[in-house]
Amino acid sequence: MSMDSRGGDVVVIGAGLIGLAIAFELAERGATVRVYDRGEPGRAASWAGAGMLAPYTERVANEALLGFCVSSLREYPRFVERVRAAGGIDPRLCLDGVVHTAFNEADLNRLQSDAQELAARNVATEMLDRSSLFSTEPWLGSHVAGGLIVSGEGCVDNRRLGRALVSACQTRGVAVERSSALRVECDERRVLGVHTDLGFVAAGAIVNACGAWASHVPGIPARCVPPIEPIKGEMLALGAPDEFVRHATWVPGAYLVPRDDGRLLVGATVESAGFDERVTARGVHELLHAALSAAPSLGSFVVTETWAGLRPGTPDGLPFLGPTPIEGLFLACGHYRNGILLAPVTARTTADAVEGKPAPEILPFSLTRAGTDWPLVERTTRV
Ligand code: GLY
């Protein structure tokens, strides 16, 4: 059924990058959209991430998800341009490649085989010998053996993107509102609306874009609740001179992402720790150990910020997107490590689904893809 025939506003629950991107997309298509969140828009994992746009670097193994990530990467420049044009804030997209480093022969051989695999997928890469790597990234320790640059990947300033999307949404007439209590109201068959701090809001469609909290939205019938588990990531920032690090760079045990505001981000731990968002001594130690082992010169920089965020993990690592058994209730959650990357394609395909248009790209990510008996998976690794 199309959105028009269902009637009513679209309510997006969750004002992270995914929820805001969906709201922006739908508003640009002419829908009346309201976004609700318990907290400030653009925060949580959307604010905590490093904004890496790197499906190959992330080693996305599932082919359907990899294809979805690659589509989103392709859509990023146009998406950012539309957001900037609507809201006037530039989210600073940079797609000048991601650098991988090797510090011994075995790792160098692995990079060589990665380069071959990527070439078979028509992804441009360049192996960098020690001296070319130093001319690209002179800050690396003298013990580096070589590297690989994956072209076309990069990063966006996710905190700026959050602000840019809020501004773009507001320009397009989206109401972005905070509500400390939210409850979805449905009958046996379809959604009716949401209860907010300011009363009941009728809705023809509701999108659950609540990230790590997506399985905790009150009022959603059990058969439509996605199995989402928070996966904690701790990060820190060093104060570094501009262009000290030029590319987003992976070193063993950490990634480093430069910002143009004097921060060099170092991430990230990966841990099942419930909804605990505290920064731990172990997390900071692991990140600094990895960064300084690769580049002792970073040791003189000041740690300017530490923080943690919760990735929305799923049992099989795939997001949950599209319709649910309740008419008008849609999912856009479970993006795990790739929420910032997947914002444009999730916005486009979710808007299609809400409008009742075919959205074949999201079929592999349906709630019912493999029954409902989802085991939750423990994950504790670095990076
Ligand atoms: N996408 C990087 C991370 O989740 O740490």
Side-chain angles (χ1 to χ4, degrees):
M1 182 180 284
S2 74
M3 192 167 59
D4 287 346
S5 57
R6 261 199 310 269
D9 297 359
V10 180
V11 166
V12 178
I13 306 181
L17 295 181
I18 293 286
L20 292 169
I22 292 168
F24 173 64
E25 179 72 35
L26 281 163
E28 287 228 309
R29 295 184 190 194
T32 305
V33 189
R34 292 176 173 278
V35 183
Y36 290 100
D37 201 298
R38 278 181 316 181
E40 260 182 72
R43 298 288 294 198
S46 299
W47 181 90
M52 290 253 271
L53 307 175
Y56 301 109
T57 292
E58 280 280 353
R59 297 178 175 279
V60 174
N62 177 279
E63 284 297 328
L65 181 56
L66 179 60
F68 202 56
C69 288
V70 170
S71 296
S72 208
L73 182 59
R74 266 195 226 110
E75 291 174 30
Y76 237 98
R78 173 84 191 112
F79 168 72
V80 158
E81 185 43 40
R82 285 170 56 213
V83 171
R84 196 201 55 72
I89 299 175
D90 179 359
R92 308 268 161 83
L93 175 67
C94 174
L95 295 177
D96 63 353
V98 170
V99 168
H100 295 237
T101 55
F103 288 82
N104 55 47
E105 275 306 304
D107 286 350
L108 204 51
N109 291 339
R110 257 193 295 279
L111 290 187
Q112 245 138 15
S113 70
D114 289 349
Q116 278 158 10
E117 274 178 37
L118 290 173
R121 292 180 177 276
N122 293 320
V123 179
T125 62
E126 190 189 346
M127 284 300 294
L128 302 170
D129 63 17
R130 206 167 158 273
S131 83
S132 344
L133 182 54
F134 272 132
S135 14
T136 308
E137 300 296 346
W139 52 275
L140 284 162
S142 57
H143 57 309
V144 74
L148 172 75
I149 181 156
V150 182
S151 303
E153 295 191 330
C155 59
V156 67
D157 185 332
N158 42 301
R159 295 183 185 178
R160 285 184 72 91
L161 180 57
R163 293 196 294 276
L165 271 166
V166 171
S167 173
C169 279
Q170 285 166 341
T171 307
R172 293 289 179 259
V174 176
V176 182
E177 290 171 16
R178 285 179 77 163
S179 178
S180 57
L182 280 169
R183 185 163 56 78
V184 171
E185 177 93 23
C186 312
D187 65 18
E188 282 302 298
R189 201 175 58 82
R190 65 188 304 279
V191 294
L192 300 174
V194 289
H195 296 271
T196 75
D197 290 350
L198 295 178
F200 181 70
V201 176
I206 297 176
V207 182
N208 177 355
C210 287
W213 291 266
S215 53
H216 297 271
V217 182
I220 295 188
R223 67 187 193 282
C224 300
V225 174
I228 306 281
E229 179 199 17
I231 306 291
K232 182 178 179 182
E234 297 184 35
M235 297 206 35
L236 58 87
L238 301 175
D242 270 359
E243 311 233 340
F244 185 82
V245 173
R246 295 174 190 162
H247 296 84
T249 302
W250 282 56
V251 299
Y255 51 75
L256 292 94
V257 181
R259 287 281 185 260
D260 63 5
D261 58 4
R263 289 180 310 141
L264 173 62
L265 312 187
V266 183
T269 62
V270 181
E271 187 187 1
S272 291
F275 287 94
D276 181 356
E277 292 181 80
R278 290 173 299 181
V279 175
T280 63
R282 186 180 56 243
V284 171
H285 171 79
E286 283 181 3
L287 295 172
L288 287 176
H289 178 74
L292 270 58
S293 299
S297 62
L298 301 177
S300 59
F301 293 152
V302 172
V303 177
T304 55
E305 196 184 345
T306 59
W307 67 97
L310 301 175
R311 305 174 184 89
T314 65
D316 60 2
L318 305 184
F320 290 108
L321 305 176
T324 66
I326 292 281
E327 189 189 316
L329 180 61
F330 297 87
L331 296 177
C333 51
H335 294 78
Y336 188 38
R337 295 180 64 99
N338 292 300
I340 297 165
L341 169 61
L342 287 170
V345 76
T346 301
R348 175 173 60 75
T349 52
T350 303
D352 285 347
V354 169
E355 288 186 329
K357 293 180 181 156
E361 289 158 279
I362 58 176
L363 288 179
F365 313 123
S366 77
L367 180 63
T368 52
R369 59 184 173 251
T372 50
D373 215 9
W374 296 103
L376 288 182
V377 180
E378 279 283 313
R379 300 179 189 84
T380 306
T381 53
R382 253 185 310 162
V383 190

